[in-house]
Amino acid sequence: MSILKKIVLVYVMVFSIFCFTGNIALAHLNKTILFVPHDNRPISFKQTADNIRDLGYEVLTPPEELLGNRTNPQGHPDELAEWVIDNAKKADSAVISADSMIYGSLVASRKHNLSVETAQQRAENFARIHEANPSLKLYVFASIMRTPQTSEASGSEDASYYAQYGTDIARYTALTDKKVQDGLNRSERKQMKMYEQNIPKEALEDWLGRRATNLEANKKLIDLTKKGDITYLALGCDDNAKYSQTNMERRELDDFAKSLGSSRYQSVAGIDEIGFVLLTRCVNNLQGDIPFVSVHYAKGTGANTIPAYSNEPIKDSIKTHVKMAGGLPVTSDKRANLVFMVNTNFDGTTGAANDLSNTYTPNENVLNFVQMVNTKVAEGKNVGIGDITFGNGSDNSLMITLYNQKLLDKINAYSGWNTPTNSTGYALAMGMCANYTDRVGILKMLEVRYLDDWLYQANIRQTVANKLNSMPGEGTYGDTKTRTVPAEELATKLLQEKIAQYDLATFDGQSYVKDTQVRFPWERMFEADFIFPQEEQINMESEQNPIEK
């Protein structure tokens, strides 16, 4: 055989192997995941599902009208269950909110009037899903009902009496929990009696009765996991504290689920991030991968920070989130697929992103933290950032320093959204998903967080809120009513100006963000949706003129 023929033969063999393995990879990605969020908020629903779709997976989601929303938190759980059962055979894996399936939504889980029997019957639908597709990997998440620490923190998303008695209820049940864990001193026993006298009996009985129903529904989910109908169950502790009714119930549920082990069950501080975390676990399993994650903290309290809305040090929540997402915590950056870095206040406090204290002037702690990020990026590490110096938005001083150091388009994941544990869990999931896409795909995920967490939540939100009363019509921060459209228009104008100011549309493949529009789908200013007209036009043209294969 001539040398030329040998070269040609080797080329053909290599090309054939490449095509064969390429087809395997494409076939591997040609998987379908069914996803039911716990409501229709953009970050719970659309943004999370799109993150997974952009990795190459088909994501089946229910018709939006079946999900709970702001005006109808009860949703349509019976119709939703039938939709899931009908579509279960089409999916390889499913990530499903039990709050949607049982109560209608996360908010409805705090306000429902279901009997224990009805709640458990609806939970039994997960056995029907398993029966419809026994090979389906079924990942389920549910909430352990929250305990807002003040009436104001409730935000009208709990029973109506919480607006008047919520602070007393939270303090009373905190003492109840402290009595169990550590005992009470004389002063605390006296306070407990005072709260018992101040809180109307019917209000406390209603609140505790609803929690008892939820507790039994969660125990039913644990039983279904023990039976094998549910592959993996995650329970999230919505707004929580060291001493609280939520924490007391978490301990009881953890004990009830003890026989399952961490490979089939986990509870964690937080809830809104868990849909994305479990979708990431699903993707990691489909990919046959276990990402290694190392974690670093800003100086000071760092890993031992107990952030707002949580009952545990952030290091514990992050460790659980890593495992929940299908990863493995490691101590060496050398072995890590993701180097996760957590921005915390030196003293461990958590502020509010729309406070005046959230300035663009970095302190020494922030400068040191960004230097840590810069070093790891320069070493070629995949870096993710959980930004929890403030709750409900980014640390402006961190973001401007990342911008000045030209690092915004160099990292792989970022979140500073909602509660601190929401932020770290979401950023961890994003960082793991970044393993399965290219730089343009990573930037696409990052852009939404920069627009939402940084530009909108930490800045534009308060600016627009301050101008609401000068707008025509009626509306407030919590219910924009007829001022929704002018508020959206002002937010859109301010956002587009900041996108240009910080060059976000110049990142590779991200020119479409320059015309981003802001919407308030829940007609309140806390949640924002981001519409990309350029991208929508491209998608529309693709649907009208499909490429023949």
Side-chain angles (χ1 to χ4, degrees):
M1 185 181 294
S2 67
I3 293 176
L4 179 60
K5 286 184 177 180
K6 287 182 179 179
I7 293 173
V8 171
L9 182 60
V10 170
Y11 175 83
V12 170
M13 290 174 64
V14 170
F15 181 77
S16 299
I17 291 170
F18 174 81
C19 291
F20 178 72
T21 55
N23 287 336
I24 289 175
L26 289 173
H28 189 62
L29 277 176
N30 189 23
K31 297 287 186 180
T32 300
I33 302 170
L34 188 150
F35 174 51
V36 177
H38 55 212
D39 55 42
N40 76 333
R41 285 175 295 165
I43 195 161
S44 302
F45 187 29
K46 185 181 74 172
Q47 292 174 12
T48 292
D50 284 348
N51 285 343
I52 305 302
R53 289 189 179 106
D54 289 341
L55 301 180
Y57 291 89
E58 181 179 0
V59 180
L60 296 177
T61 55
E64 190 168 352
E65 59 268 21
L66 297 184
L67 299 173
N69 54 48
R70 189 191 177 197
T71 57
N72 179 31
Q74 291 75 26
H76 301 277
D78 294 329
E79 293 89 339
L80 178 63
E82 295 307 315
W83 181 89
V84 172
I85 292 164
D86 289 344
N87 286 273
K89 290 183 180 179
K90 302 176 185 176
D92 301 285
S93 301
V95 175
I96 300 177
S97 162
D99 288 341
S100 285
M101 297 283 284
I102 297 173
Y103 314 106
S105 71
L106 176 61
V107 170
S109 73
R110 308 165 186 160
K111 295 183 173 184
H112 70 86
N113 292 305
L114 299 182
S115 66
V116 171
E117 292 74 22
T118 299
Q120 289 184 328
Q121 286 171 6
R122 288 180 175 176
E124 190 66 34
N125 282 321
F126 287 106
R128 295 177 61 203
I129 296 168
H130 177 68
E131 184 180 355
N133 184 358
S135 65
L136 183 75
K137 299 292 185 182
L138 182 53
Y139 308 92
V140 177
F141 63 108
S143 65
I144 301 173
M145 187 173 157
R146 73 177 186 171
T147 307
Q149 295 303 292
T150 64
S151 299
E152 293 75 17
S154 169
S156 75
E157 291 184 0
D158 296 85
S160 57
Y161 53 75
Y162 211 90
Q164 184 172 357
Y165 301 107
T167 303
D168 286 351
I169 289 173
R171 290 175 181 172
Y172 171 73
T173 55
L175 289 171
T176 304
D177 188 19
K178 190 173 188 294
K179 182 179 179 180
V180 173
Q181 292 193 64
D182 303 322
L184 301 178
N185 59 35
R186 183 178 179 181
S187 174
E188 289 168 335
R189 289 194 296 270
K190 187 176 179 180
Q191 289 175 16
M192 195 169 181
K193 287 183 179 180
M194 182 189 71
Y195 290 131
E196 285 176 345
Q197 294 171 354
N198 290 347
I199 304 168
K201 183 179 179 181
E202 58 274 17
L204 187 59
E205 287 180 349
D206 177 79
W207 192 73
L208 291 174
R210 183 172 297 109
R211 301 192 72 102
T213 297
N214 292 15
L215 185 72
E216 293 305 313
N218 282 335
K219 286 183 176 180
K220 178 66 174 180
L221 295 174
I222 292 170
D223 280 334
L224 290 168
T225 308
K226 290 176 180 177
K227 286 173 56 182
D229 293 314
I230 294 173
T231 307
Y232 183 89
L233 175 64
L235 297 183
C237 297
D238 204 1
D239 297 2
N240 198 9
K242 180 180 179 181
Y243 298 116
S244 65
Q245 188 69 24
T246 303
N247 194 23
M248 190 154 42
E249 291 166 6
R250 178 186 183 181
R251 297 195 306 273
E252 181 175 346
L253 289 164
D254 285 351
D255 186 64
F256 189 73
K258 189 176 294 183
S259 64
L260 288 171
S262 61
S263 64
R264 300 183 64 198
Y265 167 86
Q266 282 282 0
S267 68
V268 71
I271 182 64
D272 285 322
E273 76 283 3
I274 295 182
F276 190 21
V277 170
L278 287 191
L279 282 166
T280 303
R281 182 184 185 91
C282 178
V283 168
N284 282 329
N285 286 342
L286 288 171
Q287 293 279 355
D289 194 13
I290 302 175
F292 290 176
V293 181
S294 63
V295 186
H296 299 271
Y297 297 87
K299 291 183 177 180
T301 309
N304 294 312
T305 296
I306 300 178
Y309 313 103
S310 180
N311 71 319
E312 63 188 14
I314 192 63
K315 64 182 179 183
D316 294 344
S317 300
I318 287 174
K319 186 177 180 180
T320 300
H321 275 128
V322 170
K323 294 177 179 178
M324 192 178 281
L328 184 68
V330 296
T331 56
S332 169
D333 292 346
K334 186 176 182 180
R335 302 175 60 205
N337 304 106
L338 172 67
V339 177
F340 192 64
M341 313 193 79
V342 188
N343 181 42
T344 55
N345 261 324
F346 189 87
D347 63 3
T349 58
T350 305
N354 57 350
D355 284 352
L356 294 177
S357 59
N358 189 8
T359 71
Y360 275 81
T361 304
N363 58 32
E364 184 179 352
N365 211 42
V366 169
L367 293 174
N368 287 336
F369 180 80
V370 173
Q371 184 56 51
M372 289 165 54
V373 172
N374 203 1
T375 298
K376 294 304 173 184
V377 169
E379 290 174 0
K381 302 298 183 185
N382 297 325
V383 175
I385 296 176
D387 184 6
I388 64 170
T389 295
F390 296 97
N392 302 325
S394 301
D395 176 352
N396 280 322
S397 67
L398 169 68
M399 302 310 290
I400 195 64
T401 309
L402 291 172
Y403 168 75
N404 288 334
Q405 296 287 329
K406 302 187 184 305
L407 289 167
L408 288 176
D409 61 340
K410 302 294 190 303
I411 61 176
N412 278 29
Y414 171 85
S415 182
W417 160 79
N418 218 337
T419 71
T421 50
N422 293 159
S423 293
T424 51
Y426 204 93
L428 278 165
M430 187 188 298
M432 292 188 198
C433 286
N435 292 333
Y436 309 121
T437 186
D438 58 13
R439 176 49 53 179
V440 172
I442 292 168
L443 289 169
K444 189 174 182 182
M445 289 192 288
L446 284 170
E447 288 278 11
V448 178
R449 302 274 52 85
Y450 293 159
L451 301 182
D452 194 347
D453 309 359
W454 177 25
L455 302 185
Y456 178 74
Q457 297 291 352
N459 296 281
I460 294 169
R461 174 165 58 111
Q462 195 57 43
T463 300
V464 177
N466 291 339
K467 296 186 178 181
L468 268 181
N469 288 337
S470 65
M471 296 178 183
E474 297 180 347
T476 63
Y477 176 93
D479 187 357
T480 50
K481 296 181 180 177
T482 57
R483 288 174 173 161
T484 301
V485 172
E488 289 173 340
E489 290 174 347
L490 177 57
T492 295
K493 175 178 178 294
L494 295 174
L495 183 70
Q496 291 180 3
E497 289 174 354
K498 287 187 177 295
I499 289 170
Q501 180 181 353
Y502 296 114
D503 307 317
L504 297 184
T506 66
F507 294 167
D508 191 12
Q510 309 304 305
S511 61
Y512 64 92
V513 304
K514 72 178 186 299
D515 298 322
T516 306
Q517 298 174 1
V518 180
R519 297 288 183 269
F520 301 134
W522 274 34
E523 294 192 347
R524 65 182 191 183
M525 293 193 56
F526 188 65
E527 292 87 13
D529 192 11
F530 301 92
I531 310 301
F532 306 115
Q534 269 192 40
E535 195 176 53
E536 286 193 343
Q537 181 63 32
I538 292 170
N539 291 338
M540 190 181 302
E541 291 173 357
S542 298
E543 290 174 3
Q544 292 172 351
N545 304 293
I547 298 173
E548 293 186 6
K549 296 183 180 180

